[in-house]
Amino acid sequence: MTVSTVEKIDLFNQETESKIRADVILGNCLDVLKKMPDDSIDLIVTSPPYADQRKSTYGGIHPDKYAEWFLPITAELLRTLNPKGTFVLNIKEKAINGERHTYVMEMIIAMRKQGWLWTEEFIWHKKNCFPGKWPNRFRDSWERLLQFNKSKGFSMYQDEVRIPMGDWAKTRLKNLSETDKRRDNSKVGSGFGKNVSQWVGRELAYPTNVLTMATETSNKKHSAVFPKELPSWFIKLFTRPEDIVLDPFLGSGTTSVAAFQLDRNSIGIEIQEEYCQLAIDNINREKG
Amino acid sequence: MTVSTVEKIDLFNQETESKIRADVILGNCLDVLKKMPDDSIDLIVTSPPYADQRKSTYGGIHPDKYAEWFLPITAELLRTLNPKGTFVLNIKEKAINGERHTYVMEMIIAMRKQGWLWTEEFIWHKKNCFPGKWPNRFRDSWERLLQFNKSKGFSMYQDEVRIPMGDWAKTRLKNLSETDKRRDNSKVGSGFGKNVSQWVGRELAYPTNVLTMATETSNKKHSAVFPKELPSWFIKLFTRPEDIVLDPFLGSGTTSVAAFQLDRNSIGIEIQEEYCQLAIDNINREKG
DNA sequence: GTTCCGCATGAATCGATAG
DNA sequence: ACTATCGATTCATGCGGAA
């Protein structure tokens, strides 16, 4: 694992380098991206700094200026992403002056004009969300996980994230009735039929587009970003081992650690030197 | 409970009429709304027909024309809503040609230009979502519940929807299957639709903006679009007894039944006569 | 009465086929 | 090419009848 400067960005040569790499690049995200080759990244997972009215905070960008700031970056991400790759963007609009701001929606519409396909919106349901009470709203316990693609034929390995079937299956499949064994078409014209016998022996079901995960509260240094399970889930779903995962706002390195654990190469970009160092420490701890 | 024609729409006179009313109006939503007085409604809860490409289907509106169709209606809703009232809109965009359509986002932005405040977005997490498998996406298990207001000083009675905490989780956990625990931790801590009165003496907590509920699929006659707990929850949260609840797309009458059970007056508008009759039947069954 | 079990049903979406 | 229709896929829930 190396810390590169902005000057020198050569991607992995997998013929001469068989080991999994986790590069951490210190620098401004947009500058670094501009030096990266086209179509080279298999998956982008990131949680950019949220919009904030307070300028003092880390990367604070005013909500009204957010799209203006972020769109040049997504343009570079579009260029560097492999045509079969995916971009997963974790974001949530702030409540400002009693209202949810619309910058996220404006960004989705603008990104489509850049050429992105807005394939899906997953929900990250945060089990242990930030406590608090306000007179006009409840606690915010979910964030958006926006999936963008460059083409309809993107890679997706659904079997890698299957989950155990519900208990109902055990009893349901014990005794198959005659109608179960052949195709039984719905009577009400919904066009929906069933062939239950196909389920026999199946232990796993596919998940939905709602992910329920707790936030990680343990890490004191970096202000609670996403839990490692989050990038892990998308890395398993959208890449294969030795693919290249990019996080342009690496922070404490969660994405790179998740990628390394799953035998994927990774590139992380981070503008703050202390976070860079923290990310490297976290990755090295994993390398053992 | 009365069925009115479009000609005659006089709202409740609460001085001479003490009983709770549930009016069902047969007619085109926009026409009916135009005859209603300003600032007269305390809560609007509705689930308009979703965009659909097939013209044969009931209310099928092409996604590209959806905002154009719906915005004149929201303009009337804005006029008829009490300044302290709330509008809750249940909606979800379709996946078309491999992409999520952007008409819902465009509508939010357009409604703000009409003068609405977009206060919050609740998530309805549907536990039993529609089955199916596709190469490029998982099953869709959530819908939007968009909260709009006319002013920042809207009424909100948070205490009415508190949920028990403390030992509740323990007793509740016992009833969860092993699979539930592994798959969906959100079942613990949702407590949606519970009657608060039975938890007197226990510690109560406020809910979050993620609501976990199953759809109602069992009824053979006409399946309700959303479960009754959904309007009930918002009615408790945003109104007091004898307030007026409006559903401009009444369907099978779920909103009116929920309002009646909670001692709120209601007005339901429905364009199809058979649904009108069904709604009346459902309300009458409740009246006993 | 309880508990158990069989069964229909659903705001869906994609790809192929037909006009 | 472009649009409309059709067939295939799939899982959690609540009801009602049986044990």
Side-chain angles (χ1 to χ4, degrees):
Chain A
M1 190 263 328
T2 57
V3 187
S4 314
T5 64
V6 184
E7 305 314 318
K8 155 184 168 297
I9 298 167
D10 50 351
L11 287 188
F12 314 134
N13 182 342
Q14 299 197 12
E15 291 178 303
T16 61
E17 178 86 40
S18 63
K19 247 182 22 177
I20 294 299
R21 289 177 55 168
D23 285 11
V24 175
I25 300 170
L26 172 67
N28 174 278
C29 159
L30 189 54
D31 298 339
V32 175
L33 286 171
K34 281 184 172 157
K35 306 201 174 183
M36 287 174 58
D38 295 357
D39 303 337
S40 55
I41 301 296
D42 298 297
L43 172 66
I44 302 163
V45 187
T46 197
S47 192
Y50 288 4
D52 207 314
Q53 287 173 302
R54 299 177 303 254
K55 287 264 171 69
S56 60
T57 45
Y58 163 66
I61 297 116
H62 193 281
D64 295 339
K65 308 279 181 188
Y66 201 84
E68 188 184 319
W69 166 77
F70 197 55
L71 286 170
I73 296 171
T74 58
E76 289 302 312
L77 294 176
L78 182 62
R79 184 185 58 78
T80 53
L81 187 67
N82 185 292
K84 302 192 77 176
T86 293
F87 173 25
V88 176
L89 176 61
N90 170 221
I91 199 165
K92 181 66 187 272
E93 55 272 70
K94 285 238 188 296
I96 289 164
N97 215 5
E99 268 192 289
R100 291 278 167 204
H101 203 281
T102 53
Y103 60 88
V104 173
M105 322 230 140
E106 283 152 16
M107 265 182 30
I108 293 173
I109 292 168
M111 283 176 67
R112 287 191 73 247
K113 286 182 185 145
Q114 286 185 327
W116 288 103
L117 302 178
W118 178 37
T119 307
E120 179 59 306
E121 179 171 354
F122 292 81
I123 295 295
W124 170 23
H125 182 191
K126 295 182 284 186
K127 204 175 56 175
N128 57 343
C129 59
F130 195 81
K133 184 185 183 310
W134 301 270
N136 58 345
R137 63 181 66 250
F138 289 134
R139 289 176 297 154
D140 190 6
S141 73
W142 66 277
E143 293 190 14
R144 304 179 196 279
L145 291 162
L146 302 167
Q147 178 193 344
F148 294 96
N149 290 96
K150 226 164 147 168
S151 72
K152 286 187 210 168
F154 61 89
S155 303
M156 193 180 199
Y157 311 101
Q158 300 190 353
D159 287 351
E160 303 302 318
V161 295
R162 280 184 298 178
I163 53 177
M165 248 192 190
D167 287 342
W168 62 270
K170 291 187 190 65
T171 55
R172 178 73 181 91
L173 300 177
K174 231 168 25 187
N175 305 314
L176 287 180
S177 69
E178 277 307 308
T179 51
D180 284 345
K181 286 172 188 159
R182 57 190 143 78
R183 178 158 186 88
D184 186 26
N185 287 310
S186 174
K187 280 95 184 165
V188 282
S190 70
F192 187 75
K194 63 179 158 61
N195 189 350
V196 180
S197 56
Q198 291 188 358
W199 300 341
V200 174
R202 202 179 291 181
E203 296 279 316
L204 298 173
Y206 294 96
T208 71
N209 58 359
V210 175
L211 309 179
T212 302
M213 290 171 199
T215 52
E216 277 173 5
T217 52
S218 56
N219 199 336
K220 293 285 197 295
K221 290 213 172 179
H222 193 273
S223 48
V225 271
F226 46 46
K228 203 172 56 192
E229 286 90 334
L230 209 50
S232 290
W233 197 81
F234 288 109
I235 288 168
K236 283 187 279 188
L237 180 58
F238 290 122
T239 68
R240 281 187 285 206
E242 294 180 26
D243 278 359
I244 302 178
V245 179
L246 167 70
D247 186 343
F249 302 96
L250 188 63
S252 59
T254 312
T255 303
S256 293
V257 171
F260 187 80
Q261 287 181 331
L262 292 165
D263 285 323
R264 271 76 167 178
N265 292 296
S266 65
I267 301 171
I269 305 170
E270 171 57 46
I271 196 168
Q272 293 203 10
E273 196 163 355
E274 51 193 288
Y275 279 116
C276 255
Q277 194 52 56
L278 179 61
I280 290 167
D281 292 346
N282 288 334
I283 296 164
N284 279 338
R285 190 172 308 117
E286 201 51 46
K287 289 193 166 182
Chain B
M1 189 261 328
T2 57
V3 188
S4 315
T5 64
V6 184
E7 306 314 318
K8 153 184 168 297
I9 298 167
D10 50 352
L11 287 187
F12 313 132
N13 182 342
Q14 300 196 12
E15 291 177 305
T16 60
E17 179 88 41
S18 65
K19 247 182 20 177
I20 294 298
R21 289 176 56 169
D23 284 11
V24 175
I25 300 171
L26 171 66
N28 174 279
C29 160
L30 189 55
D31 298 340
V32 175
L33 286 170
K34 280 184 173 157
K35 307 201 175 184
M36 286 174 58
D38 294 357
D39 303 337
S40 56
I41 301 295
D42 298 297
L43 172 65
I44 302 163
V45 187
T46 199
S47 196
Y50 287 7
D52 207 315
Q53 290 176 102
R54 298 180 296 268
K55 288 186 183 132
S56 58
T57 324
Y58 160 65
I61 299 119
H62 193 282
D64 295 340
K65 308 279 180 187
Y66 200 86
E68 188 185 317
W69 167 77
F70 196 55
L71 286 170
I73 296 171
T74 59
E76 289 302 313
L77 294 176
L78 182 63
R79 184 184 60 76
T80 53
L81 188 68
N82 185 293
K84 302 194 78 176
T86 293
F87 173 24
V88 176
L89 176 61
N90 170 219
I91 200 165
K92 182 66 189 269
E93 56 271 62
K94 290 225 180 285
I96 290 167
N97 215 6
E99 268 191 289
R100 290 274 164 212
H101 203 281
T102 53
Y103 59 88
V104 174
M105 320 231 141
E106 283 152 17
M107 263 183 32
I108 293 172
I109 292 168
M111 282 176 68
R112 286 191 74 247
K113 286 182 184 144
Q114 286 184 326
W116 287 103
L117 302 178
W118 178 37
T119 307
E120 180 59 304
E121 178 172 354
F122 293 80
I123 296 294
W124 171 20
H125 182 189
K126 297 182 285 186
K127 285 183 291 186
N128 57 341
C129 57
F130 205 93
K133 184 186 184 310
W134 308 277
N136 58 343
R137 66 178 66 248
F138 289 134
R139 292 176 298 146
D140 189 8
S141 75
W142 65 278
E143 293 190 15
R144 303 180 195 279
L145 292 162
L146 302 167
Q147 178 193 343
F148 294 97
N149 290 98
K150 225 163 149 168
S151 72
K152 285 185 212 169
F154 61 90
S155 302
M156 191 181 199
Y157 311 101
Q158 298 191 356
D159 288 351
E160 303 303 317
V161 295
R162 280 183 300 176
I163 52 176
M165 62 184 300
D167 59 5
W168 172 80
K170 240 182 296 170
T171 56
R172 177 78 179 162
L173 258 172
K174 262 196 319 201
N175 297 327
L176 288 175
S177 69
E178 278 306 310
T179 322
D180 283 344
K181 288 180 208 166
R182 269 176 294 153
R183 291 173 59 139
D184 185 10
N185 294 316
S186 69
K187 285 176 185 174
V188 183
S190 158
F192 190 77
K194 292 287 175 292
N195 184 356
V196 174
S197 64
Q198 51 185 297
W199 302 96
V200 171
R202 307 201 190 188
E203 208 177 339
L204 296 175
Y206 294 97
T208 71
N209 57 1
V210 175
L211 313 178
T212 302
M213 276 176 308
T215 53
E216 287 174 357
T217 65
S218 52
N219 208 336
K220 286 175 186 171
K221 295 238 171 174
H222 276 281
S223 58
V225 173
F226 46 42
K228 202 172 56 193
E229 286 90 339
L230 203 53
S232 290
W233 197 78
F234 288 110
I235 288 168
K236 282 188 279 189
L237 180 59
F238 290 122
T239 69
R240 278 187 287 207
E242 296 181 25
D243 278 359
I244 302 177
V245 179
L246 168 70
D247 186 343
F249 301 96
L250 188 62
S252 58
T254 313
T255 302
S256 293
V257 171
F260 187 80
Q261 286 181 330
L262 292 164
D263 286 324
R264 271 75 166 179
N265 293 295
S266 65
I267 302 170
I269 306 170
E270 172 57 46
I271 197 168
Q272 291 205 3
E273 197 162 355
E274 51 193 287
Y275 276 111
C276 256
Q277 193 52 56
L278 179 63
I280 291 168
D281 292 347
N282 288 334
I283 296 165
N284 279 339
R285 190 172 306 119
E286 200 51 45
K287 290 194 165 182

